[in-house]
Amino acid sequence: MNSVLIAIAVLSCVSANERKINDIVSTLEKAVLFFETNHDRFNLDGVSGYSILQALLEDTLKRWSLSGPETDSQYTRVEDLVIKVGFTVEMAIKEVKLHQPAYFDAFEPLLQINFWTFRPEWTQTDSKLVYPKRRVKECFEEEDSDTCIFQILGTGKDYRVPCLDTTMCKKLMTTLYCPDYSLSHQLLYFIFAEIKNCTNIVGSWHPGLRHSVSTQHLKKIYCTNMMETNLQIENDGFPVYRRDLFLENIMLCGMIGYSDFYKTRWLEAILSWQYPNGCYVKMGRSMHSKEGKENALTAHKKVKREDVLLDDNCSCHKTAVAVGALGGYLRFYGISQNVIEP
């Protein structure tokens, strides 16, 4: 009898995951169509999100483990998405290179499909690592973060060799108690350091901890506190001006293996935020009006530097991190047979 119940539970889980995959793929199909229609207006930040989506989808197909009545058709739809995203990313890159040449040169590696790598195993955050308090303001400006990332990638104006380790960047990127985008950029720094195999940065020393801290432990600290941020955003009712950060946190921590970011209730929320045209909007009201801009600056405190608003208040950055997050959800369900709620 127990074996029968287990079999029923497994089948139920597979069926539920198939439904989730259908919903995710349908949402991504609309988002990719929006990208195809507007690719010449996307900036580098927006294109990079779709490049990450392409990498996630390709990895999903390589590791596909689902079996069920709909999985063959789902696999085919994901294959079609990979082709469409790849073709459109190539066209969009040409536009970015033309209109943002300096920015393109600095971040060009992020647009290469073979840049991104994903681990097949999963882990979870650790609530014991939640900061007891946080700084009220961001720990550094995005320009400082960019400088440190250029040093890792080897794309700076004055240094073309990757993995440059500086005192300033080590201090900024290991500073504890940072909030919001500073936190996610710290994580990005170490993601890039691992991808570039920067062995000189893998063991990072933080004076406040008084000992050497591994990159993996720092990433767990950062993702644990990014999880705490997302839980706070959820508790506040998902305010529109915080959804960009919410989605970015899921995209980044999910893609490096933190499965507890792939909560079903969060997926349902993300799917519901997509507009009929396939995009995700910046704010609830028009950002083109003076009132809308003032409200955004007051509520957000830190507006993404390189976001571009398209028609109908569509945000390039929010749409990009949304597809990155959804691509992660699809990979999670597609390669993890019989997964249960994180």
Side-chain angles (χ1 to χ4, degrees), residues 57-161:
L57 294 179
E58 289 193 359
D59 191 74
T60 301
L61 292 176
K62 289 178 184 177
R63 306 179 193 276
W64 190 267
S65 68
L66 293 184
S67 59
E70 296 186 59
T71 52
D72 286 344
S73 64
Q74 290 172 340
Y75 188 92
T76 300
R77 290 172 71 189
V78 176
E79 281 185 317
D80 291 340
L81 273 175
V82 169
I83 294 171
K84 290 179 181 179
V85 172
F87 179 72
T88 309
V89 164
E90 287 185 9
M91 293 194 298
I93 286 175
K94 293 177 182 178
E95 296 293 334
V96 172
K97 189 173 182 179
L98 178 64
H99 299 293
Q100 293 181 291
Y103 201 34
F104 173 83
D105 288 342
F107 285 102
E108 188 268 341
L110 311 188
L111 301 176
Q112 302 303 314
I113 188 63
N114 59 357
F115 177 81
W116 303 100
T117 58
F118 312 105
R119 297 186 179 189
E121 66 273 7
W122 300 105
T123 186
Q124 294 199 344
T125 57
D126 183 353
S127 60
K128 293 191 296 293
L129 298 176
V130 173
Y131 295 148
K133 60 180 179 179
R134 294 194 190 196
R135 298 168 187 256
V136 176
K137 297 181 179 180
E138 300 282 359
C139 291
F140 46 82
E141 297 296 326
E142 282 186 319
E143 289 74 14
D144 295 327
S145 173
D146 286 351
T147 298
C148 294
I149 288 175
F150 298 159
Q151 292 174 1
I152 290 291
L153 298 177
T155 57
K157 293 180 180 179
D158 303 323
Y159 33 82
R160 309 297 292 184
V161 178

Side-chain angles (χ1 to χ4, degrees), residues 18-69:
E18 283 188 347
R19 289 195 297 272
K20 292 171 187 173
I21 289 177
N22 280 335
D23 291 340
I24 294 168
V25 172
S26 295
T27 301
L28 287 175
E29 286 171 341
K30 289 189 288 185
V32 170
L33 179 59
F34 175 79
F35 184 41
E36 288 177 322
T37 305
N38 297 278
H39 74 274
D40 56 331
R41 302 170 65 189
F42 267 67
N43 62 356
L44 187 141
D45 285 5
V47 177
S48 63
Y50 278 89
S51 181
I52 292 172
L53 171 64
Q54 181 186 358
L56 286 165
L57 294 179
E58 289 193 359
D59 191 74
T60 301
L61 292 176
K62 289 178 184 177
R63 306 179 193 276
W64 190 267
S65 68
L66 293 184
S67 59

Side-chain angles (χ1 to χ4, degrees), residues 170 174 203-213 218:
K170 179 174 286 189
T174 60
S204 299
W205 185 81
H206 187 275
L209 298 176
R210 301 182 182 278
H211 59 80
S212 180
V213 181
L218 275 172

Side-chain angles (χ1 to χ4, degrees), residues 143-209:
E143 289 74 14
D144 295 327
S145 173
D146 286 351
T147 298
C148 294
I149 288 175
F150 298 159
Q151 292 174 1
I152 290 291
L153 298 177
T155 57
K157 293 180 180 179
D158 303 323
Y159 33 82
R160 309 297 292 184
V161 178
C163 300
L164 178 64
D165 187 16
T166 64
T167 301
M168 182 197 78
C169 289
K170 179 174 286 189
K171 179 180 179 181
L172 290 181
M173 296 304 158
T174 60
T175 297
L176 300 183
Y177 311 119
C178 292
D180 298 352
Y181 289 106
S182 294
L183 192 56
S184 61
H185 285 206
Q186 287 177 318
L187 178 64
L188 262 178
Y189 176 83
F190 286 104
I191 290 176
F192 293 156
E194 282 201 327
I195 289 176
K196 297 296 288 185
N197 195 29
C198 300
T199 55
N200 57 318
I201 298 175
V202 167
S204 299
W205 185 81
H206 187 275
L209 298 176

